[in-house]
Amino acid sequence: MIWKQITEKNLEMVVEMNKVAVIGSLNIDTTLEVVNFPHPGQTVKAINKSSTAGGKGANQAVAAARSQAQTSFIGKVGADQQGKFMIAAMQEEGIETSGIKVEQEAGTGTAAIMLDQRGQNSIIVYGGANSYLTAADVQAAAPQITAADFAVAQFETPQAATIEAFKLAKQNGVTTILNPAPAAKLVPELLGLTDIIIPNESESQQLTDIAITDLASLERSVAKFASWGIACSIITLGEKGVFYSFKGKTAKLDAFKVKAVDTTAAGDTFIGAFAAQLLPSLENFVTAIDYAQKASALTVQHLGAQVSIPTVSEIMGSIQLRRGS
């Protein structure tokens, strides 16, 4: 494959499209906007309510597609109207959906999101059909995985399915990206199949038992991932930026300073945009992080999950963004 790049004020843009296969969740997101989160036993009034396509996997696929990656999806929905809606929503984004199977034993996954006036969220997820994704389902979608440059997965679908997907990827020279969210105990076999791991700070702490309080604890955390055989790691730190380890080098990049309206899908946007921008050689690893941070900074300035995920032109036009310390 021939790769061509352009540079615009220090931001490189991949012109040739990456092929990204996402193995993950599809949910209907229902968001309730509140002034403050309720305390136990307290009832609060919602200011607004909306329902949209979501799920960590679907969000990451949309982010990759909007950054011009050729994107395919492997997952499950229920045999219901919500499932039909989710498949149609993916197709509208140009995402290849033949790997989305219909589960007869459970409904489409759902997520209830509470969003406060500071832009912070609290989320309850019902896995539904997502929990029924199997290794056999993944095998049926093998052509989408083996033809990809990157295979991306999260923890809203069973790890057994992810292991099967990552096995196929590794056997065919496809780089694997694991977003261990929501945090869960890693199956040891999955560690050896992961090339790049991207947790947030709380997920990193839950995986490594290392509380992230300063640069030294970040260094210890990425060293722990490296000891498990995961050579490349990125820990997202929200408004504090990101910390990465790549080819023996570690560094912290400050976040771009923006007014956050809604942080829903910020992490998913980062991962999808990163996978779309990263060259298969990984030579632009840091530049791809920069691009993904810009994408996330745009996402948090708008309400909603997928509706707030920016396009490549919007990200490329965000040169005015400035990092904060």
Side-chain angles (χ1 to χ4, degrees):
M1 183 179 295
I2 298 174
W3 292 89
K4 190 169 60 171
Q5 291 173 265
I6 60 175
T7 301
E8 182 178 338
K9 296 185 179 178
N10 299 321
L11 178 62
E12 290 180 332
M13 174 63 205
V14 174
V15 177
E16 182 76 21
M17 286 191 289
N18 272 351
K19 292 181 179 178
V20 176
V22 178
I23 305 92
S25 55
L26 302 116
N27 292 331
I28 296 293
D29 287 352
T30 297
T31 301
L32 297 170
E33 296 175 45
V34 297
V35 176
N36 294 297
F37 296 139
H39 300 297
Q42 180 186 18
T43 299
V44 298
K45 185 178 290 186
I47 301 167
N48 193 23
K49 174 186 174 182
S50 60
S51 293
T52 60
K56 294 192 73 60
N59 293 343
Q60 291 171 18
V62 169
R66 290 185 186 172
S67 279
Q68 296 188 335
Q70 230 178 72
T71 309
S72 58
F73 199 92
I74 296 93
K76 263 191 172 175
V77 295
D80 47 31
Q81 284 302 120
Q82 292 91 340
K84 292 177 182 176
F85 172 80
M86 286 302 306
I87 292 173
M90 295 295 98
Q91 290 173 342
E92 286 176 12
E93 297 289 342
I95 295 167
E96 206 282 315
T97 61
S98 64
I100 300 178
K101 306 304 180 186
V102 176
E103 174 58 49
Q104 301 295 328
E105 301 297 321
T108 300
T110 58
I113 303 168
M114 283 192 297
L115 175 68
D116 71 10
Q117 290 192 323
R118 295 178 297 277
Q120 298 302 308
N121 60 54
S122 184
I123 304 173
I124 301 173
V125 175
Y126 164 68
N130 295 309
S131 303
Y132 287 74
L133 187 67
T134 66
D137 295 324
V138 170
Q139 274 289 346
Q144 283 76 36
I145 297 169
T146 59
D149 298 303
F150 297 96
V152 180
Q154 328 77 36
F155 279 173
E156 287 187 339
T157 48
Q159 287 189 44
T162 302
I163 288 170
E164 187 64 29
F166 278 17
K167 280 181 180 178
L168 287 167
K170 296 293 283 183
Q171 288 164 5
N172 290 274
V174 178
T175 299
T176 57
I177 300 175
L178 179 65
N179 171 221
K185 185 176 181 181
L186 276 167
V187 175
E189 187 177 6
L190 187 54
L191 296 172
L193 297 169
T194 299
D195 293 314
I196 304 171
I197 193 166
I198 310 179
N200 64 24
E201 53 191 317
S202 62
E203 292 154 0
S204 177
Q205 179 174 336
Q206 197 162 340
L207 291 170
T208 64
D209 290 325
I210 299 171
I212 293 177
T213 56
D214 53 18
L215 282 175
S217 57
L218 284 163
E219 293 278 2
R220 292 196 300 275
S221 299
V222 296
K224 187 74 171 283
F225 291 132
S227 74
W228 292 341
I230 305 174
C232 304
S233 55
I234 303 170
I235 301 175
T236 59
L237 306 169
E239 63 183 10
K240 297 187 291 265
V242 301
F243 186 84
Y244 71 86
S245 174
F246 177 65
K247 290 188 175 179
K249 177 185 177 182
T250 60
K252 180 178 178 295
L253 297 175
D254 290 332
F256 292 100
K257 288 300 180 183
V258 296
K259 179 176 174 53
V261 174
D262 182 2
T263 58
T264 307
D268 296 333
T269 298
F270 179 95
I271 290 164
F274 176 75
Q277 174 67 10
L278 187 63
L279 291 170
S281 65
L282 310 189
E283 63 189 83
N284 67 334
F285 192 85
V286 178
T287 301
I289 292 175
D290 179 81
Y291 177 89
Q293 283 186 286
K294 285 183 167 71
S296 290
L298 294 176
T299 295
V300 301
Q301 295 179 71
H302 303 280
L303 284 171
Q306 288 183 17
V307 294
S308 68
I309 297 172
T311 63
V312 62
S313 60
E314 291 169 333
I315 298 167
M316 291 297 291
S318 65
I319 305 300
Q320 74 279 5
L321 289 174
R322 295 291 179 267
R323 294 186 187 277
S325 55

